[in-house]
């Protein structure tokens, strides 16, 4: 499936969890973690055009909604078991604690543009994708 026009315009690449992304900032300051050095924070642009797979990271992640459909951000202790938090105009920011499982889905027809800020900074070595849900 071709990328949405906004993904092309923003030079976004496919993300393993679904949607489209591009890293926009990496802090030049590093911190030592039990899994090695990480930048103190990183940021991405993320375009959600459907539903993301359940996943988690070892760091806290702050979601910041910019435009498009509202987003149902589900956060919980295991894949499929989450509390819904809505990202939209008027409530544009939600925190996903470190190690929490998360998934996001659109609450409308238009793709949603968000930023995600991760601290300590994101590294794919700290990313875990849940098994796909049965069809």
């Amino acid at each position: 499936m071709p990328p949405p026009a906004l993904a092309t315009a923003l030079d976004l690449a496919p993300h393993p969890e679904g949607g489209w992304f591009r890293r926009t900032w990496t802090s030049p300051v590093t911190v030592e973690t039990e899994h090695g050095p990480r930048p103190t924070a990183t940021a991405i642009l993320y375009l959600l055009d459907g539903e993301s797979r359940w996943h988690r990271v070892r760091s806290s992640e702050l979601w910041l909604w910019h435009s498009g459909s509202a987003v149902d951000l589900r956060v919980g202790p295991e894949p499929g078991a989450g509390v819904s938090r809505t990202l939209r105009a008027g409530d544009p920011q939600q925190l996903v604690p470190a190690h929490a499982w998360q998934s996001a889905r659109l609450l409308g027809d238009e793709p949603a543009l968000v930023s995600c800020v991760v601290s300590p900074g994101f590294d794919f070595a700290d990313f875990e994708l849940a098994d796909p849900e049965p069809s």
Side-chain angles (χ1 to χ4, degrees), residues 14 19 35 43 52 60-61 80 106 116 119 135:
H35 303 284
S52 72
S60 295
E61 183 172 357
L106 292 177
C116 295
S119 179
S135 311

Side-chain angles (χ1 to χ4, degrees), residues 2-15:
L6 187 53
T8 301
L10 294 172
D11 194 27
L12 306 181
H15 196 290

Side-chain angles (χ1 to χ4, degrees), residues 90-122:
D91 195 10
Q93 188 170 295
Q94 294 292 333
L95 178 66
V96 177
H99 305 284
W101 287 96
Q102 62 178 296
S103 177
R105 67 181 174 91
L106 292 177
L107 294 176
D109 297 328
E110 186 180 348
L113 182 64
V114 302
S115 288
C116 295
V117 178
V118 177
S119 179
F122 182 83

